[in-house]
Amino acid sequence: MVLASPLLPQGAETMEGAPMSKTSLILDCDPGVDDAIALFLAFAAPNELDLLGVTTVAGNVGASLTARNACMLREIAGREDVPVAAGCERPMVRAPIDAGHFHVQTGLGDLNIFVPRKDVETIHGVDFIIQTVMSRASGTVTIAVTGPMTNLAMAMVKEPRIVGRLAGIAAMGGARSEGGNITASAEYNIFADPHAAQVVVASGAPLVMMGLDVTHQVRASEGRIARIATLDTAVSDASVNLLNFMARTELALGNGGDPPQHDLCPIAYLLAPHLFTLRPCRMEVEIASSLTAGHTAVEFRLGDGPGPHIQWGTLADADGIFDLLTDRLSR
Ligand code: BDR
Ligand code: CA
């Protein structure tokens, strides 16, 4: 089932499915090699995204590193006009778990690390989300989440009025038909803070979930990386470095060489919703059992309970998404 973007007012898309007006966006992330590609796309789309700020959270690596990495990537992209605010240093309840085995201790694979010229804001990431949503007109701020949902859940707990004021949430997280990537049934972002994910899922805010079912369809093949390499800019060079690193890591892990671009999906969705197929669903996040913690129970048979404010990504047009990425990085 193809739906018009549930994060946009009716009629707010062009014939090609692209949003007609700018989306005011907060990008909440844990960079992370694939978060980096998502950030580069968001930084490269100033005509479509009014990027109000980037908030960072402990996830793939610790909180000080994800904040540093966001500042570094911002500088490479030449977007120091965008504020970065560092958020939560640990999950709401469970013990912290990073993904340094994939992203390496720096969080950015083989990328050269430098000290960014501009540091994070003094405001905490959770307060940045609250202040931004509360100070703007209701229904105008969208948040994209590409890491554990700790910052957004904490913001919802601290200031519940943001729930009704959000235009919507586009998140990378969860798995249904694909199974998990950190346990048999859990995807990393949800596993890393299942309690936060449950707060967000149960909040009632419009939510588009890009889980592994859809992100595993969006893979950076050699040909797709080669096209980005032809752009020959600082951002394309860094992107190629990150994508090649992911390809080598996936190969070494025995997953095949074309790395899935998980975190790219929610940003690509906000720019070009027609590239994705969504299904309305009900969803709960498992938090009780040690073996199923972080599992997303996704039910397409709509009955009582939370939903259908939740849309689950089922299909992606990977060629279209890489065309979009390559085009925006070329601008
Ligand atoms: C998610 O987990 C993280 O390691 C990635 O950055 C992505 O957000 C994929 O499961
Ligand atoms: Ca991430």
Side-chain angles (χ1 to χ4, degrees):
M1 181 187 311
V2 182
L3 296 172
S5 166
L7 300 188
L8 297 166
Q10 279 291 317
E13 293 174 19
T14 64
M15 294 283 281
E16 293 76 41
M20 293 226 293
S21 56
K22 276 196 193 187
T23 299
S24 297
L25 183 70
I26 299 171
L27 206 178
D28 185 59
C29 56
D30 63 335
V33 287
D34 62 324
D35 302 77
I37 304 297
L39 276 162
F40 282 154
L41 177 58
F43 286 137
N47 296 334
E48 296 139 299
L49 299 179
D50 181 11
L51 195 51
L52 305 173
V54 171
T55 51
T56 55
V57 67
N60 286 322
V61 288
S64 60
L65 291 180
T66 58
R68 189 272 319 268
N69 291 349
C71 293
M72 254 185 66
L73 297 163
R74 167 179 71 174
E75 190 169 320
I76 293 171
R79 290 300 309 270
E80 285 155 294
D81 55 303
V82 177
V84 173
C88 296
E89 296 182 6
R90 52 153 298 142
M92 289 177 93
V93 177
R94 64 151 295 148
I97 173 184
D98 68 26
H101 62 283
F102 191 94
H103 303 258
V104 176
Q105 295 316 312
T106 64
L108 290 178
D110 286 342
L111 207 64
N112 273 337
I113 300 299
F114 60 85
V115 180
R117 277 193 300 252
K118 191 174 172 200
D119 205 351
V120 293
E121 306 296 309
T122 50
I123 188 171
H124 191 277
V126 169
D127 294 318
F128 181 89
I129 293 171
I130 293 171
Q131 270 191 22
T132 305
V133 175
M134 294 306 291
S135 64
R136 298 198 158 233
S138 183
T140 60
V141 178
T142 297
I143 183 158
V145 185
T146 64
M149 294 182 169
T150 321
N151 284 340
L152 179 55
M154 291 293 284
M156 286 176 167
V157 170
K158 189 170 180 187
E159 178 45 279
R161 287 179 297 170
I162 69 165
V163 171
R165 297 177 64 87
L166 281 169
I169 305 158
M172 190 282 133
R176 184 178 183 273
S177 54
E178 284 291 283
N181 64 355
I182 186 90
T183 67
S185 64
E187 178 280 328
Y188 172 78
N189 286 343
I190 308 299
F191 184 74
D193 196 342
H195 301 86
Q198 179 58 15
V199 167
V200 172
V201 164
S203 71
L207 173 62
V208 169
M209 287 291 288
M210 296 294 174
L212 299 180
D213 300 6
V214 76
T215 69
H216 280 175
Q217 298 169 35
V218 182
R219 291 179 179 271
S221 62
E222 267 181 45
R224 288 168 178 160
I225 299 175
R227 278 182 61 210
I228 295 173
T230 62
L231 302 177
D232 200 19
T233 63
V235 171
S236 71
D237 286 356
S239 301
V240 169
N241 176 303
L242 291 156
L243 292 167
N244 282 331
F245 168 82
M246 286 183 247
R248 285 195 302 278
T249 308
E250 291 284 358
L251 256 186
L253 292 172
N255 297 336
D258 296 348
Q261 292 311 296
H262 307 288
D263 293 343
L264 182 58
C265 289
I267 305 302
Y269 170 77
L270 292 172
L271 295 173
H274 63 287
L275 297 176
F276 295 86
T277 303
L278 308 175
R279 281 187 76 176
C281 68
R282 290 186 294 140
M283 185 189 304
E284 297 279 351
V285 179
E286 292 296 334
I287 43 182
S289 133
S290 61
L291 287 183
T292 60
H295 171 67
T296 41
V298 178
E299 176 58 86
F300 293 136
R301 287 165 290 203
L302 300 174
D304 296 335
H309 58 280
I310 305 172
Q311 308 276 333
W312 182 255
T314 56
L315 284 174
D317 173 353
D319 283 334
I321 293 165
F322 277 91
D323 285 350
L324 174 79
L325 175 67
T326 310
D327 176 77
R328 293 308 183 276
L329 294 189
S330 75
R331 292 186 183 179

